[in-house]
């Protein structure tokens, strides 16, 4: 096996998201977990973690494993039968990941997401904080869609796009889609002998989209089309994306030895993309007027605490963007607020100890966490990021 030290493709990244497709985890013939393969991936993850990389996994396989456990095999299923499979299979899937990574002394945490969590900022800031905390604690979050309760209208349905949303939400600098194909070809390679593999795609243009075959096997939800959607989501948030063949054991080590893949490089870092998003894209829902002490704290990259707030205006909910104004009436920062306007008004001017537990549902005492705060005038490629 090739040492991960030689890894030219993925070793340069700090926070790696790995998406594992059902077709890799579950044997298409007997519907059983591919245990040896999973153990080999756990060994690769362990090696990468030892280099200091943070790793999270978006794993499919719940419905496939549930089918086997409930005796459905490849019959076509109703929505509720599928959801029952997801419920049964998710337990087995989480256990398989826990056991495989525990053998490498790595702790796992499970996160099940629905689109409202990744798309609505008041949920998103919580999910982001939880995943970042797991990563800081050295755990590997194992993420999947909450298929047993998500209704068909409000689900991703494929983990290609879900993993891209997760990677962009938490500022992952690389997303590896482990698939049963080693990247994008100019046409489906199984049907066209003249088809050419593309090692790098700088932009997902209509011509590139026309190359996506959309082929899939009966266990996989996504095809090349959802992978290209994922590339668009990922790269605009500063996450580079790689499609690689993960079928054989030690798929990340294979990338290390230069295995064929397609790279969709991001043109900026996740921190820079997030700053431009907060500063440039979001509608401002309110203003927070602060004192000199709070202004100084923000200039040093600290969070905004309610104690430094003098006045609040506008109408905002948790997760909305607000403008932060100093005593000279100058807008010095923008950020995503952690409290709604009623809570912020109650907390305003109070010390953190007085706010702890005040709103029942959480112990968050920052009004705008430093992770969600961008100083105005701060170069978006500058170094004041808190991720
Ligand atoms: N979330 C689904 C599962 O765990 C898989 C979706 C996909 O294959 O992309 O079964």
């Amino acid at each position: 096996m090739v040492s991960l030290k030689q890894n030219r493709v993925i070793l340069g990244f700090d926070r790696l998201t790995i998406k594992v497709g059902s077709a890799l985890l579950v044997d298409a013939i007997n519907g059983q977990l591919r245990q040896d393969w999973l153990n080999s991936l756990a060994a690769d993850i362990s090696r990468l973690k030892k280099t200091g990389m943070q790793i999270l996994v978006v794993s499919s396989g719940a419905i496939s494993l549930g089918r086997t456990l409930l005796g459905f095999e490849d019959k076509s299923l109703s929505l509720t039968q599928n959801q029952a499979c997801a419920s049964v299979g998710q337990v087995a899937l989480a256990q398989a990941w826990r056991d495989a990574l525990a053998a490498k002394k790595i702790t796992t945490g499970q996160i099940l997401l629905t689109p409202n969590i990744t798309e609505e900022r008041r949920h998103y800031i919580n999910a982001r904080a939880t995943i970042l905390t797991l990563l800081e604690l050295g755990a590997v979050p194992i993420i999947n869609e909450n298929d047993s309760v998500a209704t068909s209208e409000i689900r991703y349905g494929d983990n290609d796009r879900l993993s891209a949303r997760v990677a962009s939400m938490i500022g992952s600098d690389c997303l590896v889609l482990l698939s049963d194909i080693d990247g994008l070809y100019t046409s489906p390679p199984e049907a066209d002998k003249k088809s050419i593999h593309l090692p790098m795609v700088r932009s997902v243009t209509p011509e590139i989209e026309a190359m996506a075959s959309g082929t899939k096997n009966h266990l996989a939800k996504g095809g090349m089309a959802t992978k290209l959607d994922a590339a668009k989501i990922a790269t605009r948030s500063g996450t580079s994306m790689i499609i690689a063949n993960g079928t054989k054991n030690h798929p990340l080590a294979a990338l290390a030895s230069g295995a064929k893949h397609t790279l969709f490089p991001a043109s900026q870092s996740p921190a820079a993309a997030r700053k431009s998003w907060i500063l440039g894209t979001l509608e401002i829902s309110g203003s927070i007027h602060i004192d000199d002490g709070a202004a100084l704290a923000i200039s040093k990259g600290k969070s905004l605490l309610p104690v430094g707030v003098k006045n609040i205006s506008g109408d905002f909910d948790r997760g909305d963007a607000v403008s932060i104004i100093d005593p000279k009436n100058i807008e010095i920062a923008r950020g995503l607020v952690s409290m709604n306007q009623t809570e912020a008004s109650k907390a305003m001017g109070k010390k953190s100890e007085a706010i702890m537990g005040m709103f029942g549902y959480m112990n968050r005492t920052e009004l705008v966490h430093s992770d969600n705060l961008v100083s105005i005038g701060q170069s978006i490629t500058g170094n004041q990021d808190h991720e």
Side-chain angles (χ1 to χ4, degrees):
M1 191 185 55
V2 176
S3 155
L4 286 170
K5 287 222 171 66
Q6 296 171 26
N7 192 328
R8 297 181 303 273
V9 182
I10 48 178
L11 204 61
F13 295 104
D14 296 325
R15 191 175 284 160
L16 184 68
T17 305
I18 303 163
K19 183 260 171 176
V20 178
S22 304
L24 302 181
L25 260 172
V26 183
D27 188 305
I29 311 233
N30 62 21
Q32 301 294 325
L33 184 77
R34 294 176 66 217
Q35 189 67 59
D36 275 0
W37 179 85
L38 179 58
N39 293 345
S40 80
L41 177 57
D44 286 359
I45 290 174
S46 165
R47 284 172 187 204
L48 287 174
K49 269 180 72 52
K50 284 185 183 141
T51 69
M53 200 180 276
Q54 293 182 335
I55 297 196
L56 61 151
V57 173
V58 176
S59 178
S60 307
I63 297 175
S64 306
L65 288 174
R67 276 176 170 274
T68 310
L69 291 165
L70 289 170
F72 282 123
E73 282 127 22
D74 56 1
K75 278 194 208 115
S76 75
L77 303 182
S78 68
L79 174 67
T80 46
Q81 285 172 327
N82 249 312
Q83 295 193 303
C85 288
S87 166
V88 168
Q90 184 61 38
V91 179
L93 183 65
Q95 188 176 357
W97 275 107
R98 190 199 59 184
D99 293 350
L101 287 169
K104 299 287 168 197
K105 303 200 169 19
I106 297 171
T107 306
T108 47
Q110 176 181 265
I111 307 264
L112 299 179
L113 295 171
T114 42
N116 66 322
I117 296 175
T118 55
E119 304 311 305
E120 287 174 31
R121 279 200 305 279
R122 74 201 150 96
H123 297 300
Y124 153 124
I125 56 171
N126 265 7
R128 179 174 194 271
T130 308
I131 296 171
L132 291 182
T133 304
L134 282 166
L135 293 174
E136 269 159 34
L137 293 169
V140 171
I142 307 293
I143 299 171
N144 197 358
E145 184 156 21
N146 197 351
D147 295 307
S148 54
V149 294
T151 58
S152 49
E153 312 81 61
I154 51 153
R155 63 196 291 261
Y156 282 97
D158 70 85
N159 279 0
D160 293 329
R161 289 174 308 147
L162 173 69
S163 62
R165 286 298 296 131
V166 167
S168 62
M169 177 169 90
I170 55 114
S172 179
D173 43 7
C174 182
L175 164 65
V176 177
L177 300 184
L178 290 178
S179 171
D180 54 4
I181 185 157
D182 49 16
L184 181 65
Y185 286 76
T186 49
S187 53
E190 61 286 353
D192 178 5
K193 289 215 166 55
K194 293 203 185 110
S195 138
I196 297 166
H197 174 265
L198 303 176
M200 165 111 71
V201 173
R202 290 202 178 273
S203 171
V204 180
T205 58
E207 291 73 34
I208 292 290
E209 284 182 299
M211 295 171 190
S213 69
T215 49
K216 41 182 148 173
N217 79 19
H218 79 280
L219 291 179
K221 290 289 182 305
M224 201 44 83
T226 56
K227 290 178 178 47
L228 293 184
D229 284 346
K232 287 193 264 181
I233 296 167
T235 49
R236 70 171 172 245
S237 306
T239 305
S240 295
M241 193 184 98
I242 292 170
I243 302 175
N245 191 335
T247 329
K248 297 205 178 112
N249 285 2
H250 295 291
L252 299 176
L255 262 179
S257 65
K260 229 187 208 181
H261 63 275
T262 300
L263 170 67
F264 300 78
S267 57
Q268 55 183 345
S269 72
R274 188 168 165 78
K275 283 168 191 165
S276 353
W277 176 64
I278 291 177
L279 283 183
T281 324
L282 297 177
E283 198 182 311
I284 300 297
S285 306
S287 301
I288 314 270
H289 294 262
I290 60 170
D291 64 18
D292 283 323
L296 184 65
I298 288 176
S299 72
K300 291 182 177 164
K302 303 257 168 57
S303 298
L304 171 62
L305 302 178
V307 70
V309 176
K310 309 298 274 176
N311 197 12
I312 284 170
S313 62
D315 180 17
F316 54 84
D317 200 351
R318 295 179 61 221
D320 281 347
V322 292
S323 174
I324 297 167
I325 318 282
D326 78 359
K328 293 189 204 99
N329 222 19
I330 295 170
E331 182 186 34
I332 59 159
R334 286 187 187 176
L336 307 183
V337 78
S338 307
M339 298 175 184
N340 65 30
Q341 201 198 341
T342 316
E343 292 162 349
S345 304
K346 282 189 191 148
M348 181 170 77
K350 295 203 171 63
K351 292 207 163 124
S352 298
E353 306 83 73
I355 299 161
M356 269 311 234
M358 196 162 157
F359 307 118
Y361 56 86
M362 62 174 174
N363 288 329
R364 184 166 295 157
T365 55
E366 304 92 7
L367 183 51
V368 183
H369 192 276
S370 57
D371 278 349
N372 297 318
L373 194 58
V374 185
S375 293
I376 305 264
Q378 169 191 331
S379 150
I380 60 164
T381 53
N383 204 19
Q384 194 199 348
D385 69 76
H386 317 286
E387 302 193 298

